[in-house]
Amino acid sequence: MTPEILFKIIAGTVTHDVLRYAIGAGGVFAIINIALSHRLRDRKIRRQTPGWSQIRREVAISLRTILIFACTGVLISVGAQHGLIPIYLRVADYGWLWFWFSTALIIVAHDAWFYWSHRALHRPAIFRIAHRTHHRSHNPTPFTSYSFDATEAVVNAGFLPLFLVIVPMHPGAILIFVFHMMLRNALGHCGYEVFPADRAGRPVFSWLTSVTHHDLHHANARWNMGLYFTWWDRWMGTEHPDYLSEFARVAPRIGRTRTGLSAMAGLVLLMVLAGTQLRAEPLRGTYASPGLGMVVRFEPCAGSAKSTCGRLLWGWNMAGWHAAAVGDVVVHGLVQTESGWTGGQLTDPESGRVYRGSVRKLNSGILQLRGCAGPFCQTQDWRPLSRVRRSLSKL
């Protein structure tokens, strides 16, 4: 593995983990704690609202957690490249049944890992050095979800590579798992009960940990150790004795109000938006630069199907170009991430200057190409050639 490839893996992994935290914690906070806070005021578990100083502290600590998780991601990627971790790239190799079974299996296994490691972290000698930081947020926020001591972050990060060494998984299934983990974690710390209750006030999804379930853990640390499911707490006698009454006090009851369900719908929308990154199409097609200065076809790079290159097809004033001709590659080595394509190089056909490049595809279909030299960057909007042709035909 070349240093170039390793650098791209590191950059892509760090970017992924930062975005995952921003989408999960930031998205839940924006929807629940800001946009819907007035409508959900009767569902607020505690009267007090955490201050911005707590949130700033949590975000600062979370950056360390993100880096630790990113280190794990890099190890997984390198291990997969060397055949040590069985990550397969074609769904057909194992089939869709295994794809969804392995996704469910890793979620259930992670819940068990979390429960027992969480109980171990609460042993007095370990708690002081490995878990105290998380419980500094006595009244949590979605940003508490990554506010860990370094030791706790390592324990949490250790699950995924150990599981993947044993169980072969597709990258799409892994991404579903990590986004589910982030969203459920952030939701459990949001402070507003959005899981529905029946008319008697009992949880409709009694097997899932609600927001109240985990909030009680922050109020009294000896109870409610589970992450996704209530099974282990019930089996091991660690569920808070007042959980059901506290849940009934704040939970939205089906048939009486739709507020809680609206919040759930908002979170479903958030998960769909995050999920679109998993289904993002590769960068392909022919695009024209502003003013029809050049036309470039984006396609897989020669010798590397995982990266994208742009091949020059036509130029408006090629007589003045000294660094590229028709058929030359002028966009090199773009690697797909959650936010677009990064890590590439853009060559100016006229001068031959090479810029750090990234591409983002807007909902309108327009490509935003960003080229940077040092701290200075410039962005251009490139349009699909078919759209340019239709515009010209109307003139």
Side-chain angles (χ1 to χ4, degrees):
M1 179 179 295
T2 65
E4 227 176 64
I5 294 176
L6 181 60
F7 176 78
K8 288 181 178 180
I9 289 174
I10 294 171
T13 303
V14 172
T15 301
H16 168 269
D17 283 323
V18 170
L19 286 174
R20 177 152 50 99
Y21 179 72
I23 292 171
V28 169
F29 184 79
I31 293 173
I32 300 296
N33 298 78
I34 296 179
L36 295 176
S37 60
H38 181 71
R39 296 183 63 190
L40 294 172
R41 60 188 180 278
D42 294 335
R43 314 302 167 200
K44 198 168 188 298
I45 297 171
R46 308 194 200 189
R47 289 184 179 181
Q48 298 81 12
T49 298
W52 288 105
S53 60
Q54 175 181 323
I55 292 174
R56 286 194 295 269
R57 169 175 57 80
E58 291 170 346
V59 171
I61 295 171
S62 296
L63 294 177
R64 178 179 62 194
T65 300
I66 289 170
L67 290 177
I68 291 173
F69 282 8
C71 288
T72 303
V74 170
L75 289 175
I76 291 171
S77 297
V78 173
Q81 295 237 348
H82 288 83
L84 302 176
I85 295 179
I87 295 177
Y88 62 94
L89 301 179
R90 297 190 311 164
V91 174
D93 289 347
Y94 286 79
W96 282 107
L97 181 62
W98 176 257
F99 180 96
W100 292 113
F101 175 76
S102 63
T103 303
L105 179 63
I106 194 172
I107 291 172
V108 172
H110 184 235
D111 182 71
W113 172 278
F114 183 89
Y115 177 85
W116 289 105
S117 63
H118 195 187
R119 284 194 67 170
L121 290 172
H122 274 274
R123 293 183 176 275
I126 300 175
F127 181 89
R128 288 191 292 272
I129 61 172
H131 195 43
R132 178 185 289 176
T133 294
H134 189 68
H135 279 274
R136 284 181 62 190
S137 300
H138 184 71
N139 188 2
T141 76
F143 299 103
T144 310
S145 51
Y146 268 18
S147 184
F148 301 145
D149 286 284
T151 303
E152 181 178 5
V154 170
V155 170
N156 285 321
F159 166 78
L160 187 56
L162 291 176
F163 184 89
L164 293 178
V165 165
I166 301 170
V167 180
M169 291 192 70
H170 186 273
I174 298 171
L175 286 175
I176 291 172
F177 162 69
V178 295
F179 271 104
H180 167 268
M181 172 183 66
M182 184 70 251
L183 288 168
R184 282 298 309 274
N185 198 354
L187 180 61
H189 292 94
C190 75
Y192 292 84
E193 187 52 78
V194 296
F195 284 83
D198 60 22
R199 293 181 182 274
R202 297 184 66 84
V204 173
F205 307 109
S206 60
W207 45 281
L208 292 177
T209 55
S210 64
V211 182
T212 304
H213 193 276
H214 192 71
D215 195 273
L216 283 170
H217 174 72
H218 279 263
N220 191 329
R222 40 178 307 218
W223 306 103
N224 296 4
M225 303 286 183
L227 180 59
Y228 309 131
F229 308 112
T230 57
W231 306 328
W232 286 107
D233 281 309
R234 292 180 180 176
W235 292 338
M236 305 310 298
T238 53
E239 187 169 79
H240 197 291
D242 297 330
Y243 165 54
L244 293 179
S245 61
E246 284 296 302
F247 179 82
R249 178 177 64 85
V250 292
R253 302 193 185 188
I254 293 178
R256 189 183 73 182
T257 178
R258 295 182 181 179
T259 301
L261 296 180
S262 298
M264 288 294 287
L267 282 170
V268 169
L269 176 61
L270 177 66
M271 294 180 73
V272 169
L273 290 174
T276 59
Q277 303 297 337
L278 307 184
R279 300 188 297 272
E281 296 179 358
L283 178 56
R284 301 288 185 271
T286 305
Y287 290 81
S289 67
L292 201 57
M294 71 176 79
V295 175
V296 171
R297 183 177 65 237
F298 290 92
E299 57 190 16
C301 295
S304 177
K306 293 183 179 180
S307 57
T308 300
C309 290
R311 190 174 299 277
L312 181 65
L313 299 184
W314 181 85
W316 184 265
N317 185 23
M318 297 184 65
W321 292 3
H322 307 289
V326 170
D328 289 347
V329 174
V330 292
V331 181
H332 307 258
L334 292 169
V335 178
Q336 188 168 4
T337 66
E338 284 74 17
S339 59
W341 295 265
T342 61
Q345 294 181 329
L346 310 180
T347 302
D348 182 349
E350 184 176 356
S351 65
R353 294 191 184 95
V354 178
Y355 302 91
R356 300 192 317 275
S358 62
V359 177
R360 187 165 67 98
K361 191 173 186 178
L362 306 181
N363 291 333
S364 62
I366 293 174
L367 292 185
Q368 280 193 342
L369 272 76
R370 182 177 176 85
C372 299
F376 304 103
C377 298
Q378 184 176 359
T379 300
Q380 290 185 346
D381 289 348
W382 288 36
R383 287 168 170 76
L385 183 61
S386 58
R387 190 179 302 179
V388 176
R389 285 172 175 165
R390 285 196 298 269
S391 299
L392 291 175
S393 66
K394 295 178 182 178
L395 297 177

